Amino acid sequence: LVAAGLSVWVIAVAFISGENRGILLLMLPFLILLAWLLHYLRLGICQKYPGRFFERSMSVPLDIILLRIIEIFRSLPALFLLLALLAIIREAGLIQMALILALIMWPSFARYTRAEFIALREQEFVSAAKLLRRSNYHIIFREILPNAVPPIAVVTAFGVSSAILAESTLSFLGMGLSADAVSWGSMLNEARKYFGAWWLAVFPGLAIFVVVFTMNSLGDYFSRKYSTS
């Protein structure tokens, strides 16, 4: 089912005009998720609940589906996927660039968040909440999520700095934002034409350094604070 869905997606990308290819390409994770959902629904109908699907409730293994999607994205070379997306979209704006970077970087965040939630699920305060007959919603959002925010904030801080460096590098190489959009990387690229105007290269580079150094310092601060608490 997944192979058939990917084949249809590839054919659609090949025949749709260039302006809409980028939007269709960003729909890939949702198509994969839909294919897995349909697959497990088919198994539930044919094996677990034959003939009585509408009379009983059926649980969908969302955790397994998420893990499979993460494995698919992690198996793809991030650099090649990034260059392919930029080649398809071509004139990428700020929103398109943010979506592309999020599409490439989200598996790491999702995998770390899942591991943190599983570790916190075995803690004593979760067992106490279950003994008090708290709902799953209360346990997830009132008990586990507040304790998972500090370590996730550490990964987020380092992820933001990595995204800034990636966008600046692509813009410096001329493969990032469109020509009408201004970024620090594109300013460094333009500064190569004017060697005498040193400030054209110093201040954008200094801005990149300050922001990345600040985010890394913030992530290191959260990491030390979380490890000592």
Side-chain angles (χ1 to χ4, degrees), residues 153-168:
V154 175
V155 181
T156 303
F158 290 116
V160 170
S161 63
S162 299
I164 293 174
L165 285 177
E167 190 280 326
S168 300

Side-chain angles (χ1 to χ4, degrees), residues 49 158 189 205:
Y49 304 112
F158 290 116
N189 188 17

Side-chain angles (χ1 to χ4, degrees), residues 142-184:
R142 297 294 182 87
E143 302 292 341
I144 298 180
L145 183 59
N147 292 279
V149 168
I152 294 176
V154 175
V155 181
T156 303
F158 290 116
V160 170
S161 63
S162 299
I164 293 174
L165 285 177
E167 190 280 326
S168 300
T169 303
L170 291 172
S171 297
F172 177 76
L173 297 175
M175 297 182 296
L177 297 176
S178 57
D180 56 345
V182 180
S183 66
W184 290 328

